[in-house]
Amino acid sequence: MSKTQWERYQSGVKSVIDYIHDTPQGPVDNDTLASIGGLSTFHWHRIFKSITGQSAVQTVRAVRMHKAAGDIVRTSASIASIGRSVGYPSVQSFTRAFTAHFNQSPASYRRAATQPISELFNQVVVTGQENTNSQDDFQISIRVLPRYSLMGIWHQGDYLTVGRSFAKVFASAPVNVIHGAEPVGMGVYFQDPASVKSVAELSSFIGALVPLCFEVPPGLERYEIPTLRCAVLQYRGSYVMMERAYQWLYHSWLPKSGLAVADHPPFELYLNSPRTTAPEDLITQICIPVAPE
């Protein structure tokens, strides 16, 4: 197969990714998705999975659940209306799907979002260096991180929608060939969501970790993070709840730490993949650059 043909397949897959994110309540039958991607219905599913690492059905389910979780946490809309907005005609069918994905009901998830932040992070362990043997859900280490090189794209808008950009990066680039395994995703986040009038003002760079010498292919950009001293919070749990970790870091931990932040935006490393990991077991390193001692 020519490189040009494979690039056409990648472009078709990215069109379907856009459709799934734009219309989570929309039809997801094989003919519709194949038509959007401009691909044969006989080969569509295999091509999509070979490029994204998961089936179209799995992608739709993940996108629907992520959007629903964000609406449950951020809004007071009824569970039934949120379910309908992501394609579930009844509250019963939505509750079953949500519970299977998050291992708790939508109502329980909403209650957890109102839990005091201090209770969520009362088991944080602070160490001078990374404690790789710790079993705590949260740990903070102060350490110098190496220079990082990312291959990715700019994302404008709500940080809860960066999944679309990650999917497009991984569909565009030979990241699995680079790493020989699941790629390490990284995101750099330039604004505090609480500091803007609209989430449309938020900007981030979304990418995958690549060697410094790697030649970035067309359609993607390189972003480099210099060697930095950082406070690193190892967070375990759903991405939807992660903003609460930032709130705890900046409002509770940082004032007591005696540290000063450095002039560089925070960034995140995603140590396992939502494609293969339950939301409650996702591990993210939240890195807050701090000034040298």
Side-chain angles (χ1 to χ4, degrees):
M1 181 189 301
S2 69
K3 180 179 179 181
T4 300
Q5 183 60 56
W6 189 249
E7 288 172 346
R8 290 196 190 103
Y9 289 163
Q10 290 175 316
S11 178
V13 165
K14 284 187 282 185
S15 295
V16 175
I17 289 170
D18 278 333
Y19 171 79
I20 291 171
H21 282 266
D22 288 337
T23 56
Q25 77 287 357
V28 292
D29 60 278
N30 187 55
D31 289 344
T32 297
L33 296 182
S35 175
I36 291 168
L39 298 166
S40 165
T41 57
F42 302 110
H43 308 290
W44 158 246
H45 273 116
R46 291 186 178 92
I47 292 171
F48 187 92
K49 189 170 184 178
S50 69
I51 289 175
T52 67
Q54 61 181 174
S55 70
V57 171
Q58 289 172 318
T59 301
V60 169
R61 184 183 303 118
V63 169
R64 286 178 169 181
M65 292 299 102
H66 183 75
K67 182 182 184 304
D71 289 344
I72 286 170
V73 168
R74 290 179 165 183
T75 75
S76 59
S78 70
I79 300 300
S81 66
I82 291 173
R84 287 193 298 271
S85 74
V86 293
Y88 292 89
S90 70
V91 68
Q92 292 83 6
S93 61
F94 172 61
T95 297
R96 284 195 299 270
F98 191 94
T99 303
H101 188 78
F102 285 101
N103 202 29
Q104 58 181 315
S105 70
S108 296
Y109 199 87
R110 177 167 274 171
R111 285 194 297 271
T114 63
Q115 184 180 4
I117 295 175
S118 59
E119 293 183 18
L120 290 175
F121 298 98
N122 60 6
Q123 297 298 319
V124 171
V125 176
V126 181
T127 64
Q129 58 185 2
E130 185 176 18
N131 180 358
T132 56
N133 296 319
S134 173
Q135 297 302 308
D136 295 293
D137 281 353
F138 307 101
Q139 58 176 291
I140 291 180
S141 56
I142 311 301
R143 50 200 164 102
V144 176
L145 298 181
R147 178 183 172 193
Y148 291 120
S149 177
L150 283 66
M151 173 179 61
I153 58 177
W154 289 93
H155 178 92
Q156 192 69 33
D158 193 347
Y159 292 156
L160 280 187
T161 64
V162 297
R164 178 204 299 250
S165 293
F166 273 117
K168 289 174 131 182
V169 169
F170 296 153
S172 299
V175 288
N176 285 317
V177 174
I178 297 167
H179 294 277
E182 192 71 34
V184 177
M186 293 185 68
V188 185
Y189 300 92
F190 292 87
Q191 295 88 19
D192 176 357
S195 71
V196 298
K197 293 181 180 179
S198 166
V199 292
E201 299 176 41
L202 296 173
S203 58
S204 51
F205 188 86
I206 302 305
L209 185 63
V210 295
L212 293 170
C213 60
F214 181 77
E215 183 177 349
V216 175
L220 299 177
E221 297 181 40
R222 182 187 301 278
Y223 184 93
E224 291 192 6
I225 301 174
T227 299
L228 291 167
R229 181 172 182 249
C230 292
V232 181
L233 171 62
Q234 182 150 305
Y235 167 87
R236 183 189 300 269
S238 167
Y239 297 145
V240 175
M241 295 286 196
M242 196 151 53
E243 177 56 28
R244 307 198 74 200
Y246 278 91
Q247 293 171 8
W248 180 86
L249 267 169
Y250 281 96
H251 298 296
S252 296
W253 181 80
L254 186 62
K256 299 174 184 177
S257 70
L259 297 171
V261 293
D263 188 21
H264 192 283
F267 54 96
E268 299 170 3
L269 288 84
Y270 308 100
L271 303 188
N272 49 14
S273 170
R275 295 185 298 186
T276 55
T277 307
E280 65 270 22
D281 293 326
L282 292 168
I283 299 176
T284 305
Q285 288 187 343
I286 301 173
C287 305
I288 308 298
V290 295
E293 292 182 303

